[in-house]
Amino acid sequence: MTAPIFRRLADLRALTSEWTRKGEEIGVVPTMGALHQGHLSLVEAAKAGCDRVIVTIFVNPKQFNNPEDLAKYPRTENEDAQKLAPYGVDAIYVPEPEEIYPQGFATTVSVAGLTDVMEGEFRPGHFDGVATVVAKLFLQTQADRAYFGEKDYQQLMIVTRMARDLDIPTEVVGCPTVREPSGLAMSSRNLRLSSEGLDIAAHKNRIMRELAAALNDGAQFDPLAAQAEIDLLAAGFTQVEYIQLRCAETLDPITHANRPARLFVAAWADGVRLIDNIPV
């Protein structure tokens, strides 16, 4: 049985206020739809940790730098509702744009520092859009916990800092990246890859794991990164935007894996921009 779909904030609030009155804990899984097993693993975590679970589906125009990306983003509400049916979520919130950005909307949430590097450098303004919509969804759903995948690790760090800085009483929970058998991180963008593109994309995780293993053995990062870029291009990637090693907590750049770290890569294959990260 599919969960009820709510499109108006007033209707959702009537439901969540009743749950809160009963002392039930609310979990939210914010998504842009086109759900895959990665999203569903977040739903499982939310179901295990909360009394009530809301999945939000909103293709947020403010986090797209490229209008073509926004136009191409898959919109699969009916299929998404069917995928969620076995999980017994309590509500699916699919707000109309005016519920998120009403006429005259003039506020932007910006997290300094964390948003200036990696994805922030290549997609200026992207994280302002993410932080703004996530802040609204936390407040609209009145969630006690929100579940995000580590696949978008920089985003996870940003929304965690945003909630902390603004005293939003929503605990941000990070969940492990879900991967295809090939090692490719699950992403809605993978739907745009041809079979050849999928084969090329699968090489990225292997190259990243080899780099991480060398770092764990004490090697210096810069020479390894240069070789990894060569390897990615040789595997069929058309462009490598960045390969970076950063502190897992602060996202500061580091040259050796002498503290908990994450290895980040963004590269293009088959006309699709793919990002990934792994712990080191």
Side-chain angles (χ1 to χ4, degrees), residues 25-186:
E25 291 192 321
I26 301 170
V28 65
V29 180
T31 82
M32 294 203 300
L35 302 184
H36 51 67
Q37 192 56 47
H39 296 113
L40 299 177
S41 73
L42 302 180
V43 174
E44 288 181 328
K47 287 287 293 182
C50 302
D51 300 304
R52 301 287 187 172
V53 174
I54 303 167
V55 176
T56 71
I57 298 174
F58 181 67
V59 181
N60 178 31
K62 288 188 179 293
Q63 68 189 70
F64 284 85
N65 309 83
N66 185 338
E68 286 185 18
D69 264 359
L70 176 60
K72 288 179 181 176
Y73 199 88
R75 291 159 173 82
T76 55
E77 180 184 316
N78 291 336
E79 294 91 334
D80 292 341
Q82 291 300 320
K83 289 177 183 177
L84 290 170
Y87 293 85
V89 302
D90 298 280
I92 304 172
Y93 182 41
V94 190
E96 302 292 349
E98 56 269 22
E99 295 291 329
I100 301 295
Y101 304 120
Q103 186 173 3
F105 185 85
T107 299
T108 297
V109 178
S110 183
V111 180
L114 292 176
T115 60
D116 299 332
V117 299
M118 294 187 294
E119 291 301 285
E121 181 180 349
F122 284 89
R123 303 177 68 186
H126 166 71
F127 285 125
D128 289 354
V130 170
T132 302
V133 77
V134 169
K136 292 213 65 168
L137 290 171
F138 283 2
L139 296 169
Q140 289 189 349
T141 60
Q142 303 180 65
D144 297 284
R145 296 187 187 89
Y147 294 79
F148 291 84
E150 290 184 350
K151 186 255 178 185
D152 295 296
Y153 190 86
Q154 186 177 7
Q155 172 180 275
L156 173 62
M157 294 294 99
I158 288 165
V159 297
T160 300
R161 177 68 60 80
M162 177 272 296
R164 182 189 310 151
D165 287 355
L166 297 182
D167 299 319
I168 298 175
T170 301
E171 177 190 356
V172 177
V173 181
C175 299
T177 302
V178 177
R179 299 183 179 277
E180 303 285 357
S182 67
L184 177 63
M186 289 191 177

Side-chain angles (χ1 to χ4, degrees), residues 199-229:
D199 290 340
I200 293 169
H203 287 285
K204 178 147 62 73
N205 183 250
R206 172 184 59 79
I207 293 168
M208 291 177 70
R209 284 187 287 106
E210 291 171 355
L211 199 164
L215 287 167
N216 284 327
D217 286 338
Q220 186 176 0
F221 174 66
D222 288 346
L224 294 174
Q227 183 58 52
E229 180 170 357

Side-chain angles (χ1 to χ4, degrees), residues 200 229 232-241 267-272:
I200 293 169
E229 180 170 357
L232 286 165
L233 294 172
F237 283 85
T238 54
Q239 181 184 358
V240 179
E241 287 189 345
W268 288 80
D270 198 25
V272 180

